[in-house]
Amino acid sequence: MSETLQRLAAVIESRKPANGGDPATSYVARLFSKGDDAILKKIGEEATETVMAAKDARVDGDVSHVLYECADLWFHSMIMLAQFNLTPQDVLQELARREGLSGIEEKANRKLTVREQQETDQGKI
């Protein structure tokens, strides 16, 4: 994982209120203190802004806003990962696991796993 992502993940982790993050002085700590819904709402906003920037870039050729908005989206996604005790490294490992699989094959494997889990759960009832 890149050193930048590692450093940023460590800072985000340190901003959790449980780790001493102060919502009065830290934007990230404030998001954590508001809970999952606030974090998810922010990701939705950033995703929309990223899409709109890409649409604008398609017209005017200026990709600088795409880069800026994508960085915001990644940042807020990292906050969400930390909220669920996941790391950027976990995402990279999942991407590595999928490497070499077609998207169609990977999706079919996920559906099969879910179906098998549901059948197992029904057997326990």
Side-chain angles (χ1 to χ4, degrees):
M1 183 168 62
S2 88
E3 289 180 24
T4 301
L5 287 177
Q6 284 179 324
R7 285 192 310 271
L8 184 54
V11 168
I12 289 169
E13 189 66 28
S14 76
R15 298 299 196 261
K16 288 181 173 180
N19 295 334
D22 181 0
T25 61
S26 166
Y27 168 76
V28 174
R30 191 173 321 133
L31 270 179
F32 279 130
S33 71
K34 290 180 179 180
D36 300 350
D37 285 341
I39 295 167
L40 299 175
K41 179 181 177 187
K42 191 63 182 170
I43 290 172
E45 291 171 11
E46 296 301 340
T48 299
E49 290 172 5
T50 302
V51 168
M52 297 311 296
K55 287 178 156 289
D56 290 345
R58 188 173 56 192
V59 173
D60 64 21
D62 181 3
V63 298
S64 63
H65 295 288
V66 176
L67 182 61
Y68 180 85
E69 295 301 343
C70 192
D72 283 351
L73 179 58
W74 281 26
F75 175 75
H76 288 90
S77 294
M78 289 178 67
I79 295 170
M80 178 195 59
L81 289 172
Q83 177 74 1
F84 292 99
N85 297 312
L86 295 167
T87 67
Q89 185 61 42
D90 294 327
V91 175
L92 293 174
Q93 288 171 341
E94 176 60 16
L95 291 171
R97 183 191 68 77
R98 296 179 187 188
E99 190 173 5
L101 288 176
S102 77
I104 295 170
E105 180 183 6
E106 196 279 328
K107 187 173 182 178
N109 286 343
R110 273 189 284 143
K111 285 183 178 181
L112 178 62
T113 301
V114 168
R115 188 172 32 246
E116 288 172 347
Q117 185 61 48
Q118 287 172 341
E119 290 171 0
T120 301
D121 291 346
Q122 288 174 352
K124 293 179 183 177
I125 296 176

